[in-house]
Amino acid sequence: MNDRPNPGWFGRNWKWFVPTGCLGVLLFAALALAGLIGLGIKGVSGLMSGSEPVRHAMDLAKADPDVRAAFGEPLETGMGFQGSLTTENDRGEADLSLPIKGPKGSGRIYVKGTREADRWSYRLIEIAIDGSERRIDLLRAEAAPGAAPETTLPESSAPKEATPEEESDPEAPAEESAAA
């Protein structure tokens, strides 16, 4: 008789179990790492999309008729935020580029602004439409509703202030002043 005991399951199957087990562990680690990276990107995008500059830019974009015509509704932000957003106490700076998309097309919103005394002011909020050179300036739309309509008067009917020299000589030619 054979004095050696029969090998167990591992003793009979180790030649395929070890490589398969190692590959399984490596595959699981790779998937876990990819998931963490994906969650990190999603988390950063979520933090950025919740920021005041992004919310303000998206509100302006959703309200603009040119944007609705170019992209359709609903308008959404995509993944792939670029740029920087820094805040410290009541100060901050934003220099962002974020993708947007709608049923009719896609593009990017560019936002540049500063925060002083806990209030944001923007130098640039515009949309570049993918596949086109066209840009939509959203700050012009923000200034238009509250601003009084600008009227230009012809030079002859525009009121002008008289200087002491002009009062003494009514026929002297008027100097044009450059308004800054």
Side-chain angles (χ1 to χ4, degrees):
M1 284 210 201
N2 190 358
D3 289 337
R4 287 190 331 175
N6 286 337
W9 180 88
F10 187 76
R12 291 187 313 264
N13 298 305
W14 72 270
K15 290 180 182 177
W16 65 265
F17 178 75
V18 170
T20 305
C22 289
L23 287 175
V25 168
L26 287 175
L27 181 63
F28 178 75
L31 288 175
L33 182 62
L36 288 174
I37 290 171
L39 286 175
I41 291 171
K42 179 74 171 159
V44 169
S45 294
L47 287 174
M48 289 285 224
S49 65
S51 69
E52 172 62 27
V54 172
R55 282 195 322 261
H56 183 71
M58 284 302 292
D59 289 344
L60 289 176
K62 289 177 180 176
D64 191 274
D66 292 338
V67 174
R68 286 195 305 261
F71 295 99
E73 292 186 63
L75 189 63
E76 303 171 342
T77 59
M79 297 285 285
F81 283 64
Q82 296 175 346
S84 65
L85 175 65
T86 57
T87 57
E88 183 178 337
N89 298 329
D90 63 345
R91 306 184 79 214
E93 286 212 25
D95 185 0
L96 302 170
S97 166
L98 52 135
I100 59 169
K101 59 184 175 185
K104 294 181 181 179
S106 62
R108 291 194 83 77
I109 296 181
Y110 296 97
V111 180
K112 290 185 183 217
T114 55
R115 185 172 93 170
E116 290 287 332
D118 216 20
R119 293 180 61 187
W120 283 97
S121 60
Y122 301 96
R123 308 187 288 282
L124 172 80
I125 301 178
E126 72 178 17
I127 295 180
I129 301 170
D130 288 347
S132 170
E133 293 293 319
R134 183 172 169 229
R135 294 203 172 212
I136 301 170
D137 183 6
L138 296 177
L139 288 180
R140 61 127 173 97
E142 184 179 49
E150 186 177 326
T151 57
T152 51
L153 300 172
E155 284 187 34
S156 61
S157 65
K160 61 180 181 176
E161 296 181 25
T163 61
E165 299 155 1
E166 290 176 342
E167 289 177 1
S168 63
D169 186 9
E171 301 210 359
E175 282 185 27
E176 292 183 19
S177 64

